[in-house]
Amino acid sequence: MVHILRSLGPAVSHVSPLEALRAGVGALLGLGLAGLFLLSPEVDLALGLYLVAPFGATSVLLFAVPNSPLAQPWSAVVGNIVAALVGVAVCLTIADPTLRVALAVGLAITATILCRAVHPPAGAVAMTAAMSPDAIAKLGFWFALTPIAAGTVALVLLATVYARLTGRHYPFRQFDEPSRHGTEDRNPSERLGLTEAELTALLERTRHSLNLGVEDLARLIGAAELQAASHATGPLTAEDIMSSDLITVRPETRLREVADLFRRHRFASLPVVGPNKEFLGVIFQINLINQARDDALRLDRGYVAALGRLLDRRRERPVRAGAIMNVAGPRATTKTPIGVLLHLMADGDVDAVPVLEYGRIVGIVSRTDLIAALARSVVRAA
């Protein structure tokens, strides 16, 4: 009985209030802008440019679950258009309203599946056409173009812009998309030894091809492998593997001194601290290189000359450490499990994670520290 009751509960895992707000604001802006500049809230049978109820359902997918295969541009645009064509055809040929609605939705589902364009709101599009004989008599198959195609394309474009502005990926990345480094290699957490065809077959065999994309599956398997690897390390935390004898710099430190510290100690990162040792940010070697590149582009000179000018002590307004430090990267505490640290550094976004206690830096965990910890675990296991 308990299992039955639990099966009736929420099937979706907990979502943060911030993510819920992000989705809601996205739908508000998407429908608001579409209604303001393109689609009238009133039925317009002259141009056909008006809002229809299925656009609300499309907004749920585009803004709330943009990773879903059902929310991708092909599914949304083609699915809605195909359903509109089916709905119009049925509306023009079937007189009985009940049969018209049922047949339109059933045929739309079949047609969108065959077109690999399943989009749940498409059923509502077909139903809307079947329930609007007066509008269809006036618009005919033009209904599939306006409002359906025009409105869906507008929402897809707005969802694309909104996703970029809020740090999400839409349209979702494809399996064969190059890595974030611009090479053909996949990101480290997605190197599974499984091909796209094998992952696709796995989704089809488990009947999840409509619920999960190949790229999502690759990321989930990669994350699971990382989590399993963290189990092999035992209950290690950041405190167990961090470097605690730190070399730090101040925000006013000149970049020439920062470069000297990198060269002398062969560090990949340097923490930036305030007067009371409070953590302010971290400088990675790539930050120094990027600053030299930007300076070179401004001066239209070679990198070497630009770096020399950049680090010159006699420069009138030398760039300081505080200007290039990274302040938004991940952070850990002494009790952060090593499994979490593995996830933070798996894809190469950061080379090291600062370890903080009450706002002050007490250590730093680098990739080298993680590799050493994993190597020790392997040796113990052997």
Side-chain angles (χ1 to χ4, degrees):
M1 185 64 180
V2 175
H3 295 294
I4 295 176
L5 293 177
R6 289 180 62 183
S7 68
L8 299 177
V12 178
S13 60
H14 176 74
V15 178
S16 72
L18 185 62
E19 177 60 20
L21 181 63
R22 188 203 69 81
V25 170
L28 185 153
L29 292 175
L31 287 172
L33 291 173
L36 186 62
F37 295 104
L38 180 64
L39 304 173
S40 169
E42 303 291 336
V43 175
D44 177 11
L45 297 182
L47 297 176
L49 291 173
Y50 60 95
L51 289 169
V52 292
F55 290 157
T58 291
S59 297
V60 173
L61 286 170
L62 299 186
F63 294 100
V65 284
N67 290 1
S68 170
L70 308 182
Q72 300 313 300
W74 175 270
S75 298
V77 177
V78 175
N80 278 352
I81 291 175
V82 168
L85 293 173
V86 170
V88 171
V90 171
C91 187
L92 294 175
T93 55
I94 304 297
D96 182 76
T98 301
L99 178 60
R100 190 169 63 224
V101 169
L103 188 60
V105 174
L107 290 177
I109 291 173
T110 301
T112 54
I113 290 176
L114 293 175
C115 293
R116 298 172 62 186
V118 177
H119 184 62
V125 169
M127 189 170 179
T128 299
M131 294 178 65
S132 309
D134 294 338
I136 297 304
K138 177 71 174 180
L139 293 173
F141 286 100
W142 187 263
F143 175 79
L145 183 61
T146 60
I148 299 304
T152 306
V153 169
L155 287 173
V156 165
L157 293 176
L158 289 168
T160 301
V161 173
Y162 186 71
R164 298 294 173 88
L165 293 176
T166 56
R168 297 292 296 273
H169 289 279
Y170 182 81
F172 195 60
R173 296 169 296 173
Q174 298 299 308
F175 182 83
D176 55 357
E177 183 177 277
S179 73
R180 68 189 65 210
H181 303 297
T183 66
E184 293 300 322
D185 289 328
R186 293 180 56 71
N187 293 318
S189 65
E190 299 167 10
R191 296 174 192 166
L192 310 176
L194 297 174
T195 65
E196 180 180 9
E198 289 172 321
L199 291 170
T200 300
L202 180 61
L203 287 173
E204 292 175 351
R205 190 163 63 250
T206 57
R207 298 182 181 179
H208 278 290
S209 58
L210 296 181
N211 304 321
L212 193 65
V214 172
E215 178 70 23
D216 260 333
L217 179 61
R219 291 194 309 116
L220 288 173
I221 293 177
E225 287 184 340
L226 280 175
Q227 189 65 40
S230 70
H231 292 171
T233 64
L236 290 179
T237 64
E239 186 176 23
D240 298 317
I241 66 172
M242 70 183 186
S243 301
S244 55
D245 184 16
L246 302 178
I247 303 295
T248 62
V249 296
R250 300 283 291 274
E252 62 270 17
T253 302
R254 292 192 176 192
L255 295 192
R256 182 185 183 95
E257 297 175 46
V258 173
D260 287 340
L261 288 173
F262 275 128
R263 183 174 59 252
R264 190 185 319 151
H265 296 284
R266 298 183 180 181
F267 291 146
S269 59
L270 282 172
V272 182
V273 299
N276 298 316
K277 301 296 183 182
E278 67 273 18
F279 176 75
L280 301 178
V282 62
I283 298 176
F284 299 112
Q285 286 187 7
I286 190 63
N287 299 136
L288 200 65
I289 294 171
N290 286 341
Q291 182 62 42
R293 179 201 62 195
D294 294 342
D295 205 45
L297 292 174
R298 285 196 302 271
L299 298 173
D300 194 24
R301 299 170 60 184
Y303 281 145
V304 175
L307 187 58
R309 178 179 175 84
L310 174 69
L311 304 178
D312 193 344
R313 290 178 182 272
R314 294 172 296 177
R315 189 176 182 181
E316 293 182 5
R317 292 184 179 179
V319 178
R320 307 286 181 169
I324 68 168
M325 67 182 180
N326 187 326
V327 298
R331 305 174 186 185
T333 70
T334 54
K335 302 305 179 184
T336 299
I338 190 173
V340 174
L341 297 171
L342 279 169
H343 284 290
L344 292 176
M345 288 191 275
D347 282 332
D349 284 340
V350 294
D351 293 315
V353 176
V355 183
L356 309 183
E357 286 292 333
Y358 304 106
R360 295 187 177 187
I361 187 165
V362 296
I364 195 163
V365 177
S366 67
R367 291 180 185 277
T368 303
D369 297 325
L370 278 176
I371 292 171
L374 291 172
R376 287 196 298 272
S377 300
V378 171
V379 170
R380 293 194 194 103

